[in-house]
């Protein structure tokens, strides 16, 4: 690409002649961000309007008259759909949660963000079920250039992907992979099931278990299999920058933030 008058093969041959040693390209890996993930394009303004309409059409609950005049309800605050999108992009929270936060805080983005962050980790598991097709491909090259890692880390919005916090998270994950040579997959559920069943069969026939009742043997073997699977999963490893938490817990904390 830097000199279209020659091929890559010719480039390598020239470098070989200059350096006096054989040079060969062994392998490469190309990552296309979000490949294989179904992306969903939302019309946030229409979604907010639809949810508001449904709520307006719902039967109103009988009102109880109070002697003292009540403070204006959060629903009485008109929420701008653009602010809902902005808050959702910034926090990753659900649309109705963002709408409620803005209504409760008189359309103040900063206060609404603080309102949502008070939910902390309680909202992280809910976010895990949503589609995350944006994000970044991050790399880590260890000192001496003898270990290199590429990882794809996904999030829901391009807005979050461009932020420094997300970029730092992706870089930390790449470093984590480099520091864990035994890791083979992301989550325990990603383990090759044929391999798992093969190992289970081997464990069931080990001499130290043959004298035990089959039900007891099965429980012991399951414990051994779980340990083996977890040792090869990225998310169950101790986070290298804070070993009091796992990689999964580290990612959940970032999700909540």
């Amino acid at each position: 690409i830097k000199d279209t008058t020659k091929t890559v093969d010719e480039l390598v041959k020239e470098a070989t002649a200059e350096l006096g040693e054989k040079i060969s390209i062994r392998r490469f890996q190309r990552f296309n961000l979000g490949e294989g993930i179904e992306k969903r394009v939302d019309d946030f303004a229409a979604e907010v309007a639809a949810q508001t309409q449904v709520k307006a059409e719902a039967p109103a609950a009988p009102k109880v008259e109070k002697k003292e005049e009540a403070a204006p309800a959060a629903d009485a605050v008109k929420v701008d759909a653009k602010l809902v999108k902005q808050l959702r992009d910034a926090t990753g929270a659900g649309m109705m949660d963002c709408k409620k936060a803005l209504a409760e805080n008189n359309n103040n983005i900063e206060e609404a963000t603080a309102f949502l962050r008070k939910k902390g980790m309680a909202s992280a598991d809910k976010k895990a079920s949503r589609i995350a097709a944006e994000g970044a491909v991050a790399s880590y090259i260890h000192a001496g250039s003898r270990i290199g890692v590429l990882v794809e880390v996904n999030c829901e919005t391009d807005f979050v992907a461009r932020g420094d916090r997300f970029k730092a998270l992706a870089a930390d994950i790449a470093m984590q992979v480099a520091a864990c040579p035994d890791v083979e997959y992301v989550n325990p559920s990603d383990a090759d099931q044929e391999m798992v069943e093969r190992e289970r069969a081997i464990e069931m026939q080990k001499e130290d278990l043959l004298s035990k009742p089959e039900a007891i043997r099965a429980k012991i073997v399951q414990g051994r299999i779980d340990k083996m699977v977890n040792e090869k999963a990225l998310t169950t490893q101790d986070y290298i920058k804070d070993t009091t938490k796992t990689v999964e817990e580290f990612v959940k904390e970032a999700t909540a933030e």
Side-chain angles (χ1 to χ4, degrees), residues 36-52:
I37 301 175
E38 182 182 351
K39 295 187 179 183
R40 187 185 70 184
V41 179
D42 293 324
D43 184 340
F44 288 97
E47 192 176 351
V48 172
Q51 292 284 355
T52 304

Side-chain angles (χ1 to χ4, degrees), residues 12-123:
V12 173
K13 284 182 178 179
E14 288 179 4
T16 299
E18 289 177 16
L19 298 172
E21 290 190 8
K22 179 182 177 181
I23 297 173
S24 61
I25 303 170
R26 180 165 177 251
R27 59 186 174 180
F28 64 87
Q29 181 73 46
R30 177 183 290 111
F31 281 9
N32 294 319
L33 182 65
E35 185 175 9
I37 301 175
E38 182 182 351
K39 295 187 179 183
R40 187 185 70 184
V41 179
D42 293 324
D43 184 340
F44 288 97
E47 192 176 351
V48 172
Q51 292 284 355
T52 304
Q53 182 65 24
V54 169
K55 193 166 185 178
E57 292 176 356
K63 293 184 179 180
V64 179
E65 292 185 4
K66 296 181 180 180
K67 293 182 180 180
E68 295 184 5
E69 190 174 322
D75 292 340
V77 178
K78 185 176 180 181
V79 177
D80 189 332
K82 291 181 180 179
L83 289 179
V84 174
K85 182 181 185 305
Q86 183 181 340
L87 184 59
R88 189 174 184 184
D89 286 346
T91 64
M95 185 204 69
M96 294 310 294
D97 286 337
C98 290
K99 186 172 183 292
K100 180 181 179 182
L102 286 164
E104 292 280 356
N105 294 280
N106 201 29
N107 285 320
N108 185 299
I109 286 287
E110 291 185 2
E111 292 182 6
T113 300
F115 177 87
L116 289 171
R117 290 187 66 180
K118 288 178 182 177
K119 294 184 177 181
M121 292 305 299
S123 62

Side-chain angles (χ1 to χ4, degrees), residues 185-193 195-196 226 229-236 248:
Y185 36 80
V186 178
N187 298 301
S189 59
D190 297 326
D192 179 12
Q193 291 306 305
M195 178 273 292
V196 170
D226 289 344
V229 169
N230 287 336
E231 286 175 347
K232 295 182 178 182
L234 174 64
T235 54
T236 54
E248 181 179 26

